[in-house]
mmCIF file of all heavy atoms in Angstrom:
data_model
loop_
_atom_site.group_PDB
_atom_site.id
_atom_site.type_symbol
_atom_site.label_atom_id
_atom_site.label_comp_id
_atom_site.label_asym_id
_atom_site.label_seq_id
_atom_site.Cartn_x
_atom_site.Cartn_y
_atom_site.Cartn_z
ATOM 1 N N GLY A 525 -140.673 -55.627 8.314
ATOM 2 C CA GLY A 525 -140.987 -56.249 7.062
ATOM 3 C C GLY A 525 -141.524 -55.379 5.993
ATOM 4 O O GLY A 525 -141.366 -54.157 6.183
ATOM 5 N N GLY A 526 -141.973 -55.921 4.931
ATOM 6 C CA GLY A 526 -142.481 -55.159 3.854
ATOM 7 C C GLY A 526 -141.484 -55.010 2.648
ATOM 8 O O GLY A 526 -140.236 -55.166 2.930
ATOM 9 N N GLU A 527 -141.949 -54.571 1.540
ATOM 10 C CA GLU A 527 -141.042 -54.627 0.328
ATOM 11 C C GLU A 527 -139.994 -53.602 0.351
ATOM 12 O O GLU A 527 -138.872 -53.794 0.023
ATOM 13 C CB GLU A 527 -141.969 -54.323 -0.844
ATOM 14 C CG GLU A 527 -141.373 -54.803 -2.177
ATOM 15 C CD GLU A 527 -141.180 -56.256 -2.189
ATOM 16 O OE1 GLU A 527 -141.970 -56.945 -1.509
ATOM 17 O OE2 GLU A 527 -140.304 -56.714 -2.962
ATOM 18 N N ALA A 528 -140.242 -52.394 1.037
ATOM 19 C CA ALA A 528 -139.214 -51.415 1.071
ATOM 20 C C ALA A 528 -138.094 -51.883 1.950
ATOM 21 O O ALA A 528 -136.937 -51.668 1.638
ATOM 22 C CB ALA A 528 -139.741 -50.059 1.773
ATOM 23 N N SER A 529 -138.415 -52.478 3.091
ATOM 24 C CA SER A 529 -137.365 -52.948 3.961
ATOM 25 C C SER A 529 -136.573 -54.086 3.300
ATOM 26 O O SER A 529 -135.353 -54.101 3.371
ATOM 27 C CB SER A 529 -137.960 -53.458 5.259
ATOM 28 O OG SER A 529 -136.870 -53.771 6.233
ATOM 29 N N ALA A 530 -137.245 -55.082 2.753
ATOM 30 C CA ALA A 530 -136.614 -56.183 2.151
ATOM 31 C C ALA A 530 -135.656 -55.761 0.957
ATOM 32 O O ALA A 530 -134.612 -56.493 0.742
ATOM 33 C CB ALA A 530 -137.580 -57.188 1.686
ATOM 34 N N ASN A 531 -135.943 -54.645 0.380
ATOM 35 C CA ASN A 531 -135.164 -54.301 -0.819
ATOM 36 C C ASN A 531 -134.229 -53.168 -0.526
ATOM 37 O O ASN A 531 -133.706 -52.417 -1.432
ATOM 38 C CB ASN A 531 -136.077 -53.890 -1.990
ATOM 39 C CG ASN A 531 -136.788 -55.102 -2.560
ATOM 40 O OD1 ASN A 531 -136.270 -56.085 -2.787
ATOM 41 N ND2 ASN A 531 -137.998 -54.898 -3.017
ATOM 42 N N GLY A 532 -133.928 -52.888 0.699
ATOM 43 C CA GLY A 532 -132.827 -51.941 1.059
ATOM 44 C C GLY A 532 -133.435 -50.636 1.104
ATOM 45 O O GLY A 532 -132.738 -49.593 0.858
ATOM 46 N N GLY A 533 -134.674 -50.414 1.416
ATOM 47 C CA GLY A 533 -135.293 -49.028 1.452
ATOM 48 C C GLY A 533 -135.022 -48.329 2.731
ATOM 49 O O GLY A 533 -133.883 -48.285 3.087
ATOM 50 N N GLU A 534 -136.049 -47.962 3.454
ATOM 51 C CA GLU A 534 -135.886 -47.201 4.632
ATOM 52 C C GLU A 534 -135.337 -48.030 5.795
ATOM 53 O O GLU A 534 -135.352 -49.348 5.727
ATOM 54 C CB GLU A 534 -137.277 -46.666 5.117
ATOM 55 C CG GLU A 534 -138.359 -47.664 5.330
ATOM 56 C CD GLU A 534 -139.709 -47.215 5.469
ATOM 57 O OE1 GLU A 534 -139.993 -46.332 4.723
ATOM 58 O OE2 GLU A 534 -140.313 -47.567 6.426
ATOM 59 N N ARG A 535 -134.719 -47.403 6.845
ATOM 60 C CA ARG A 535 -134.194 -48.056 7.891
ATOM 61 C C ARG A 535 -135.151 -48.897 8.664
ATOM 62 O O ARG A 535 -136.284 -48.317 8.913
ATOM 63 C CB ARG A 535 -133.396 -47.106 8.780
ATOM 64 C CG ARG A 535 -132.588 -47.637 9.873
ATOM 65 C CD ARG A 535 -131.930 -46.568 10.663
ATOM 66 N NE ARG A 535 -131.142 -47.106 11.806
ATOM 67 C CZ ARG A 535 -130.665 -46.425 12.744
ATOM 68 N NH1 ARG A 535 -130.910 -45.049 12.859
ATOM 69 N NH2 ARG A 535 -129.955 -46.852 13.752
ATOM 70 N N PRO A 536 -134.801 -50.129 9.025
ATOM 71 C CA PRO A 536 -135.776 -50.795 9.875
ATOM 72 C C PRO A 536 -136.025 -50.297 11.162
ATOM 73 O O PRO A 536 -135.181 -49.442 11.712
ATOM 74 C CB PRO A 536 -135.177 -52.259 9.938
ATOM 75 C CG PRO A 536 -133.636 -52.074 9.765
ATOM 76 C CD PRO A 536 -133.587 -50.864 8.778
ATOM 77 N N ILE A 537 -137.075 -50.591 11.866
ATOM 78 C CA ILE A 537 -137.426 -50.014 13.177
ATOM 79 C C ILE A 537 -136.810 -50.690 14.311
ATOM 80 O O ILE A 537 -135.995 -50.097 15.128
ATOM 81 C CB ILE A 537 -139.033 -50.029 13.378
ATOM 82 C CG1 ILE A 537 -139.674 -49.145 12.222
ATOM 83 C CG2 ILE A 537 -139.373 -49.484 14.777
ATOM 84 C CD1 ILE A 537 -139.224 -47.731 12.350
ATOM 85 N N VAL A 538 -136.973 -52.023 14.497
ATOM 86 C CA VAL A 538 -136.553 -52.707 15.684
ATOM 87 C C VAL A 538 -135.147 -53.213 15.396
ATOM 88 O O VAL A 538 -134.930 -53.921 14.439
ATOM 89 C CB VAL A 538 -137.479 -53.853 15.996
ATOM 90 C CG1 VAL A 538 -136.932 -54.567 17.186
ATOM 91 C CG2 VAL A 538 -138.949 -53.273 16.261
ATOM 92 N N HIS A 539 -134.209 -52.936 16.308
ATOM 93 C CA HIS A 539 -132.852 -53.467 16.273
ATOM 94 C C HIS A 539 -132.574 -54.255 17.546
ATOM 95 O O HIS A 539 -132.605 -53.762 18.649
ATOM 96 C CB HIS A 539 -131.836 -52.220 16.194
ATOM 97 C CG HIS A 539 -131.889 -51.377 15.013
ATOM 98 N ND1 HIS A 539 -133.049 -50.790 14.473
ATOM 99 C CD2 HIS A 539 -131.104 -51.255 14.010
ATOM 100 C CE1 HIS A 539 -132.852 -50.080 13.426
ATOM 101 N NE2 HIS A 539 -131.609 -50.402 13.046
ATOM 102 N N GLY A 540 -132.050 -55.432 17.356
ATOM 103 C CA GLY A 540 -131.561 -56.216 18.503
ATOM 104 C C GLY A 540 -130.133 -55.943 18.711
ATOM 105 O O GLY A 540 -129.518 -55.084 18.148
ATOM 106 N N THR A 541 -129.530 -56.686 19.605
ATOM 107 C CA THR A 541 -128.175 -56.531 20.050
ATOM 108 C C THR A 541 -127.357 -57.798 20.063
ATOM 109 O O THR A 541 -127.899 -58.757 20.618
ATOM 110 C CB THR A 541 -127.977 -55.787 21.401
ATOM 111 O OG1 THR A 541 -128.697 -54.551 21.326
ATOM 112 C CG2 THR A 541 -126.624 -55.555 21.815
ATOM 113 N N ILE A 542 -126.178 -57.712 19.458
ATOM 114 C CA ILE A 542 -125.238 -58.896 19.578
ATOM 115 C C ILE A 542 -124.043 -58.442 20.455
ATOM 116 O O ILE A 542 -123.502 -57.490 20.269
ATOM 117 C CB ILE A 542 -124.610 -59.213 18.141
ATOM 118 C CG1 ILE A 542 -125.733 -59.830 17.309
ATOM 119 C CG2 ILE A 542 -123.345 -60.021 18.151
ATOM 120 C CD1 ILE A 542 -126.065 -61.313 17.655
ATOM 121 N N GLN A 543 -123.782 -59.414 21.409
ATOM 122 C CA GLN A 543 -122.703 -59.087 22.363
ATOM 123 C C GLN A 543 -121.530 -59.931 22.010
ATOM 124 O O GLN A 543 -121.456 -61.193 22.086
ATOM 125 C CB GLN A 543 -123.087 -59.418 23.814
ATOM 126 C CG GLN A 543 -124.264 -58.612 24.300
ATOM 127 C CD GLN A 543 -124.756 -59.059 25.610
ATOM 128 O OE1 GLN A 543 -125.427 -60.214 25.692
ATOM 129 N NE2 GLN A 543 -124.598 -58.373 26.601
ATOM 130 N N ALA A 544 -120.493 -59.305 21.448
ATOM 131 C CA ALA A 544 -119.294 -60.009 20.801
ATOM 132 C C ALA A 544 -118.497 -60.705 21.834
ATOM 133 O O ALA A 544 -117.686 -61.485 21.458
ATOM 134 C CB ALA A 544 -118.549 -59.001 20.029
ATOM 135 N N TYR A 545 -118.615 -60.355 23.166
ATOM 136 C CA TYR A 545 -117.776 -61.108 24.130
ATOM 137 C C TYR A 545 -118.291 -62.518 24.400
ATOM 138 O O TYR A 545 -117.649 -63.281 25.047
ATOM 139 C CB TYR A 545 -117.635 -60.376 25.475
ATOM 140 C CG TYR A 545 -118.792 -60.269 26.421
ATOM 141 C CD1 TYR A 545 -118.551 -59.884 27.707
ATOM 142 C CD2 TYR A 545 -120.120 -60.523 25.948
ATOM 143 C CE1 TYR A 545 -119.648 -59.743 28.590
ATOM 144 C CE2 TYR A 545 -121.161 -60.383 26.830
ATOM 145 C CZ TYR A 545 -121.011 -60.043 28.207
ATOM 146 O OH TYR A 545 -121.917 -59.995 29.089
ATOM 147 N N LEU A 546 -119.477 -62.869 23.925
ATOM 148 C CA LEU A 546 -119.993 -64.172 24.059
ATOM 149 C C LEU A 546 -119.539 -65.120 23.018
ATOM 150 O O LEU A 546 -119.434 -64.773 21.848
ATOM 151 C CB LEU A 546 -121.516 -64.120 23.983
ATOM 152 C CG LEU A 546 -122.190 -63.371 25.130
ATOM 153 C CD1 LEU A 546 -123.664 -63.309 24.882
ATOM 154 C CD2 LEU A 546 -121.879 -63.903 26.551
ATOM 155 N N ARG A 547 -119.179 -66.344 23.327
ATOM 156 C CA ARG A 547 -118.595 -67.345 22.522
ATOM 157 C C ARG A 547 -119.629 -67.652 21.369
ATOM 158 O O ARG A 547 -119.084 -68.168 20.260
ATOM 159 C CB ARG A 547 -118.181 -68.594 23.278
ATOM 160 C CG ARG A 547 -117.137 -68.459 24.267
ATOM 161 C CD ARG A 547 -116.825 -69.712 25.129
ATOM 162 N NE ARG A 547 -116.039 -69.526 26.245
ATOM 163 C CZ ARG A 547 -114.653 -69.746 26.360
ATOM 164 N NH1 ARG A 547 -114.122 -69.951 25.115
ATOM 165 N NH2 ARG A 547 -114.037 -69.438 27.405
ATOM 166 N N ASP A 548 -120.858 -67.608 21.687
ATOM 167 C CA ASP A 548 -121.755 -68.023 20.606
ATOM 168 C C ASP A 548 -122.278 -66.820 19.778
ATOM 169 O O ASP A 548 -123.172 -67.073 18.906
ATOM 170 C CB ASP A 548 -123.137 -68.694 21.317
ATOM 171 C CG ASP A 548 -123.931 -67.626 22.086
ATOM 172 O OD1 ASP A 548 -123.373 -66.567 22.379
ATOM 173 O OD2 ASP A 548 -125.047 -67.964 22.528
ATOM 174 N N ALA A 549 -121.622 -65.747 19.844
ATOM 175 C CA ALA A 549 -122.132 -64.407 19.127
ATOM 176 C C ALA A 549 -122.199 -64.695 17.679
ATOM 177 O O ALA A 549 -123.245 -64.416 16.918
ATOM 178 C CB ALA A 549 -121.277 -63.306 19.496
ATOM 179 N N ARG A 550 -121.088 -65.202 17.012
ATOM 180 C CA ARG A 550 -120.995 -65.280 15.625
ATOM 181 C C ARG A 550 -122.070 -66.390 15.040
ATOM 182 O O ARG A 550 -122.723 -66.210 13.998
ATOM 183 C CB ARG A 550 -119.616 -65.582 15.181
ATOM 184 C CG ARG A 550 -119.470 -65.751 13.547
ATOM 185 C CD ARG A 550 -119.734 -64.396 12.944
ATOM 186 N NE ARG A 550 -119.585 -64.631 11.463
ATOM 187 C CZ ARG A 550 -118.460 -64.167 10.793
ATOM 188 N NH1 ARG A 550 -117.457 -63.773 11.487
ATOM 189 N NH2 ARG A 550 -118.473 -64.350 9.409
ATOM 190 N N ASP A 551 -122.111 -67.505 15.774
ATOM 191 C CA ASP A 551 -123.015 -68.537 15.405
ATOM 192 C C ASP A 551 -124.523 -67.979 15.328
ATOM 193 O O ASP A 551 -125.229 -68.217 14.332
ATOM 194 C CB ASP A 551 -122.993 -69.681 16.390
ATOM 195 C CG ASP A 551 -121.712 -70.504 16.371
ATOM 196 O OD1 ASP A 551 -120.756 -69.947 15.724
ATOM 197 O OD2 ASP A 551 -121.602 -71.577 16.981
ATOM 198 N N ARG A 552 -124.973 -67.327 16.379
ATOM 199 C CA ARG A 552 -126.229 -66.851 16.512
ATOM 200 C C ARG A 552 -126.523 -65.693 15.354
ATOM 201 O O ARG A 552 -127.527 -65.690 14.829
ATOM 202 C CB ARG A 552 -126.506 -66.297 17.860
ATOM 203 C CG ARG A 552 -126.638 -67.370 18.928
ATOM 204 C CD ARG A 552 -127.185 -66.907 20.237
ATOM 205 N NE ARG A 552 -126.281 -65.847 20.776
ATOM 206 C CZ ARG A 552 -126.679 -64.621 20.905
ATOM 207 N NH1 ARG A 552 -127.844 -64.195 20.419
ATOM 208 N NH2 ARG A 552 -125.805 -63.730 21.495
ATOM 209 N N LEU A 553 -125.462 -64.839 15.167
ATOM 210 C CA LEU A 553 -125.587 -63.811 14.186
ATOM 211 C C LEU A 553 -125.853 -64.375 12.862
ATOM 212 O O LEU A 553 -126.788 -63.919 12.126
ATOM 213 C CB LEU A 553 -124.298 -62.938 14.147
ATOM 214 C CG LEU A 553 -124.226 -61.996 13.064
ATOM 215 C CD1 LEU A 553 -125.265 -60.875 13.114
ATOM 216 C CD2 LEU A 553 -122.860 -61.281 13.078
ATOM 217 N N GLU A 554 -125.017 -65.323 12.470
ATOM 218 C CA GLU A 554 -125.235 -66.042 11.054
ATOM 219 C C GLU A 554 -126.639 -66.603 10.998
ATOM 220 O O GLU A 554 -127.306 -66.531 9.943
ATOM 221 C CB GLU A 554 -124.103 -66.978 10.791
ATOM 222 C CG GLU A 554 -122.755 -66.235 10.713
ATOM 223 C CD GLU A 554 -121.774 -67.266 10.103
ATOM 224 O OE1 GLU A 554 -122.119 -68.275 9.763
ATOM 225 O OE2 GLU A 554 -120.505 -66.746 10.049
ATOM 226 N N ALA A 555 -127.122 -67.280 11.992
ATOM 227 C CA ALA A 555 -128.419 -67.933 11.926
ATOM 228 C C ALA A 555 -129.472 -66.827 11.845
ATOM 229 O O ALA A 555 -130.512 -67.003 11.116
ATOM 230 C CB ALA A 555 -128.662 -68.754 13.321
ATOM 231 N N MET A 556 -129.393 -65.767 12.633
ATOM 232 C CA MET A 556 -130.384 -64.593 12.489
ATOM 233 C C MET A 556 -130.427 -64.087 11.051
ATOM 234 O O MET A 556 -131.469 -63.793 10.542
ATOM 235 C CB MET A 556 -129.978 -63.485 13.411
ATOM 236 C CG MET A 556 -130.116 -63.777 14.886
ATOM 237 S SD MET A 556 -129.331 -62.335 15.870
ATOM 238 C CE MET A 556 -129.058 -63.205 17.400
ATOM 239 N N VAL A 557 -129.247 -63.728 10.515
ATOM 240 C CA VAL A 557 -129.181 -63.195 9.264
ATOM 241 C C VAL A 557 -129.808 -64.101 8.134
ATOM 242 O O VAL A 557 -130.628 -63.685 7.336
ATOM 243 C CB VAL A 557 -127.632 -62.808 8.787
ATOM 244 C CG1 VAL A 557 -127.595 -62.412 7.362
ATOM 245 C CG2 VAL A 557 -127.247 -61.637 9.750
ATOM 246 N N ARG A 558 -129.457 -65.377 8.237
ATOM 247 C CA ARG A 558 -130.088 -66.368 7.247
ATOM 248 C C ARG A 558 -131.609 -66.261 7.317
ATOM 249 O O ARG A 558 -132.268 -66.372 6.305
ATOM 250 C CB ARG A 558 -129.472 -67.661 7.440
ATOM 251 C CG ARG A 558 -128.011 -67.805 7.048
ATOM 252 C CD ARG A 558 -127.694 -69.363 6.925
ATOM 253 N NE ARG A 558 -127.679 -70.029 8.277
ATOM 254 C CZ ARG A 558 -126.599 -70.032 9.042
ATOM 255 N NH1 ARG A 558 -125.489 -69.566 8.775
ATOM 256 N NH2 ARG A 558 -126.738 -70.696 10.219
ATOM 257 N N ALA A 559 -132.006 -66.393 8.537
ATOM 258 C CA ALA A 559 -133.507 -66.424 8.814
ATOM 259 C C ALA A 559 -134.125 -65.152 8.196
ATOM 260 O O ALA A 559 -135.241 -65.177 7.616
ATOM 261 C CB ALA A 559 -133.791 -66.657 10.224
ATOM 262 N N ALA A 560 -133.577 -64.005 8.570
ATOM 263 C CA ALA A 560 -134.199 -62.792 8.112
ATOM 264 C C ALA A 560 -134.189 -62.655 6.639
ATOM 265 O O ALA A 560 -135.155 -62.147 5.979
ATOM 266 C CB ALA A 560 -133.417 -61.544 8.728
ATOM 267 N N GLU A 561 -133.147 -63.139 5.932
ATOM 268 C CA GLU A 561 -133.009 -63.144 4.474
ATOM 269 C C GLU A 561 -134.211 -63.996 3.913
ATOM 270 O O GLU A 561 -134.796 -63.827 2.831
ATOM 271 C CB GLU A 561 -131.717 -63.505 3.971
ATOM 272 C CG GLU A 561 -130.613 -62.395 4.279
ATOM 273 C CD GLU A 561 -129.290 -62.776 3.884
ATOM 274 O OE1 GLU A 561 -128.957 -63.946 3.643
ATOM 275 O OE2 GLU A 561 -128.294 -61.971 4.047
ATOM 276 N N ARG A 562 -134.366 -65.137 4.551
ATOM 277 C CA ARG A 562 -135.442 -66.115 3.978
ATOM 278 C C ARG A 562 -136.780 -65.387 4.251
ATOM 279 O O ARG A 562 -137.757 -65.555 3.428
ATOM 280 C CB ARG A 562 -135.403 -67.330 4.757
ATOM 281 C CG ARG A 562 -134.366 -68.377 4.484
ATOM 282 C CD ARG A 562 -134.563 -69.692 4.966
ATOM 283 N NE ARG A 562 -134.806 -69.729 6.518
ATOM 284 C CZ ARG A 562 -133.752 -69.937 7.329
ATOM 285 N NH1 ARG A 562 -132.591 -70.180 6.850
ATOM 286 N NH2 ARG A 562 -133.993 -69.905 8.577
ATOM 287 N N GLU A 563 -136.995 -64.655 5.237
ATOM 288 C CA GLU A 563 -138.309 -64.032 5.567
ATOM 289 C C GLU A 563 -138.422 -62.616 4.805
ATOM 290 O O GLU A 563 -139.555 -62.034 4.975
ATOM 291 C CB GLU A 563 -138.404 -63.719 7.117
ATOM 292 C CG GLU A 563 -138.331 -64.837 7.910
ATOM 293 C CD GLU A 563 -139.684 -65.602 8.120
ATOM 294 O OE1 GLU A 563 -140.679 -64.976 7.629
ATOM 295 O OE2 GLU A 563 -139.757 -66.696 8.750
ATOM 296 N N ARG A 564 -137.387 -62.303 4.143
ATOM 297 C CA ARG A 564 -137.427 -60.926 3.407
ATOM 298 C C ARG A 564 -137.658 -59.771 4.407
ATOM 299 O O ARG A 564 -138.406 -58.876 4.123
ATOM 300 C CB ARG A 564 -138.370 -60.929 2.373
ATOM 301 C CG ARG A 564 -137.935 -61.985 1.122
ATOM 302 C CD ARG A 564 -138.814 -61.911 -0.031
ATOM 303 N NE ARG A 564 -138.982 -60.561 -0.642
ATOM 304 C CZ ARG A 564 -137.955 -60.084 -1.479
ATOM 305 N NH1 ARG A 564 -136.919 -60.786 -1.727
ATOM 306 N NH2 ARG A 564 -138.141 -58.795 -2.000
ATOM 307 N N VAL A 565 -136.989 -59.801 5.555
ATOM 308 C CA VAL A 565 -137.084 -58.900 6.503
ATOM 309 C C VAL A 565 -135.703 -58.372 6.775
ATOM 310 O O VAL A 565 -134.755 -59.040 6.925
ATOM 311 C CB VAL A 565 -137.691 -59.421 7.916
ATOM 312 C CG1 VAL A 565 -137.527 -58.409 9.073
ATOM 313 C CG2 VAL A 565 -139.141 -59.918 7.675
ATOM 314 N N ARG A 566 -135.597 -57.015 6.711
ATOM 315 C CA ARG A 566 -134.236 -56.335 6.959
ATOM 316 C C ARG A 566 -133.884 -56.405 8.406
ATOM 317 O O ARG A 566 -134.698 -55.834 9.301
ATOM 318 C CB ARG A 566 -134.272 -54.987 6.530
ATOM 319 C CG ARG A 566 -132.906 -54.311 6.740
ATOM 320 C CD ARG A 566 -132.271 -53.933 5.298
ATOM 321 N NE ARG A 566 -133.099 -52.939 4.650
ATOM 322 C CZ ARG A 566 -132.964 -51.634 4.775
ATOM 323 N NH1 ARG A 566 -132.025 -51.076 5.658
ATOM 324 N NH2 ARG A 566 -133.710 -50.771 4.106
#
Side-chain angles (χ1 to χ4, degrees):
E527 202 63 24
S529 186
N531 290 323
E534 61 192 44
R535 187 179 178 191
I537 296 298
V538 178
H539 292 64
T541 299
I542 287 289
Q543 296 171 295
Y545 75 161
L546 295 175
R547 298 176 190 268
D548 69 345
R550 183 64 182 263
D551 293 10
R552 291 189 300 110
L553 172 61
E554 292 190 5
M556 292 172 199
V557 168
R558 287 193 297 267
E561 290 173 351
R562 285 195 301 268
E563 299 277 351
R564 294 183 61 76
V565 171
R566 181 118 63 91

